[in-house]
Amino acid sequence: MGLRAGCFGEHVKMNREQKTRVVEELKSQFSSAGATFFVDYTGVSVNQFQSLRKNLRENDAELKVAKVNLMDIAASDMETDGWKDLSFSGQLGVVFANGDVSAVAKTIVEFYKENNVLEIRAGLFESRVMNSGEVVALALLPSRQVLLGMLAGVLNAPIARLARVLNEVPSGLARSLRAVADKSGAEDK
């Protein structure tokens, strides 16, 4: 029988039915997640792990721990370039990002910077395997909300200019009429 790694070295024997359930759950999460990140959590304390999980939940992400061979079985059906080239060992956690992928990557990178533990191994995003450097680069991107705000500003700029130009037409007409009125008033005196 295999072992299922719980949090931080707690091992529980699993029967075939339990392994099948874990594999099916992982398959479901691999297919539904916007991105997946693989992290080695060796050296992470229980409190740090709970803190990381809480921060990830706030960004609509979930951190799971399962045996590497069960993850391999779950991911074997995925059509992802480079998946078969990856080899994992150690205490591997999987972060499933369901919301803003950049914010989730940023949470993982910030956790690493604050605690100097948690090695980023790889990521899966848009059917492509990413190395740890690419995950860090993804974390540097602005969040989805910031990008949408920037897009709204870009789209709004031409409309705002058009409104100013259209507003200038009546204003210019009013100034011209006032100048004519002032000129004719000055001539009448």
Side-chain angles (χ1 to χ4, degrees), residues 8 14 21 24 31 41 43 50 60-61 74 85-87 101 105-106 129-130 132-134 143 155 157 162-164:
F8 308 101
M14 294 175 59
R21 268 195 308 242
E24 291 304 316
S31 65
Y41 62 89
Q50 289 173 340
D60 197 16
D85 298 333
L86 296 176
S87 63
V101 173
K106 193 172 301 202
V129 173
M130 299 175 1
S132 60
E134 291 169 320
S143 70
L155 294 175
L162 178 63
R164 280 193 297 274

Side-chain angles (χ1 to χ4, degrees), residues 141-188:
L141 292 175
S143 70
R144 184 175 190 273
Q145 289 176 320
V146 171
L147 288 174
L148 288 174
M150 292 167 67
L151 178 62
V154 167
L155 294 175
N156 191 38
I159 296 168
R161 275 185 288 215
L162 178 63
R164 280 193 297 274
V165 167
L166 292 176
N167 193 34
E168 267 309 302
V169 172
S171 297
L173 179 61
R175 284 192 297 273
S176 297
L177 290 174
R178 180 169 301 199
V180 169
D182 289 346
K183 185 176 182 183
S184 64
E187 290 176 359
D188 289 342

